[in-house]
Amino acid sequence: MDEILEILEKNGRQTPAEIAAMLGRDEADVRAAIKKLEDDHVIAAYTALVNWEKTDLDRVTALIEVKVTPQRDRGFDKVAERIYSFPEVKACYLMSGGFDLTVVIEDKTMKEVALFVAEKLAVIPDVNSTATHFILKKYKDKGFVFGGQIEDDREHVLL
């Protein structure tokens, strides 16, 4: 099943027939395995990786570091749940290191992101501080290089 997951993670549009051919397995077995993975929520969703810079839509993506006070018997879960419930939040991760949560949001402007942080995120009880970082350019995401292949301009060395 791990092989099927790896193939689908790279390209969620692969059909069971294509996966079966790649793995030398029966298509019905692959189809059944995918169905089980979906039913067990191992495969949580199928999404597209979009290069938004090639569209007419303006959006900014922000990574927000959040320091919180964990709650008795719930740790970080209750605060994280409150944060990830906002529709602007695309991802929320518990982190190790200098802060507790990373929150990823996408919005139309930097001002909208700033308003989200000031009016919705920072005012949550148990949120102690935030630090917002804006993504200026994506070079690579989920293994995909944006802007095509990188040319290797290093000189050739003959041995």
Side-chain angles (χ1 to χ4, degrees), residues 7 18 41 52 55 87 96 104 129 132-133 137 142 150:
I7 291 168
E18 292 169 330
H41 301 284
W52 290 107
T55 71
S96 64
V104 180
S129 66
T132 304
H133 308 274
K137 182 176 181 177
K142 294 184 173 79
I150 300 170

Side-chain angles (χ1 to χ4, degrees), residues 52-127:
W52 290 107
E53 290 184 15
K54 295 203 177 255
T55 71
D56 293 334
L57 297 174
D58 287 327
R59 357 175 118 191
V60 295
T61 303
L63 306 176
I64 306 165
E65 299 174 1
V66 184
K67 291 185 182 180
V68 303
T69 302
Q71 297 181 340
R72 181 183 295 271
D73 300 324
R74 298 278 323 259
F76 298 99
D77 295 346
K78 188 171 182 182
V79 178
E81 183 178 350
R82 182 147 183 212
I83 292 169
Y84 70 65
S85 296
F86 290 112
E88 298 92 338
V89 175
K90 301 299 179 200
C92 183
Y93 306 102
L94 180 62
M95 306 296 293
S96 64
F99 55 95
D100 303 306
L101 300 172
T102 295
V103 177
V104 180
I105 72 167
E106 292 178 350
D107 229 320
K108 295 177 184 169
T109 66
M110 288 185 183
K111 183 176 181 177
E112 287 175 327
V113 171
L115 288 172
F116 170 81
V117 173
E119 295 176 357
K120 295 182 179 179
L121 186 58
V123 298
I124 295 174
D126 300 316
V127 169

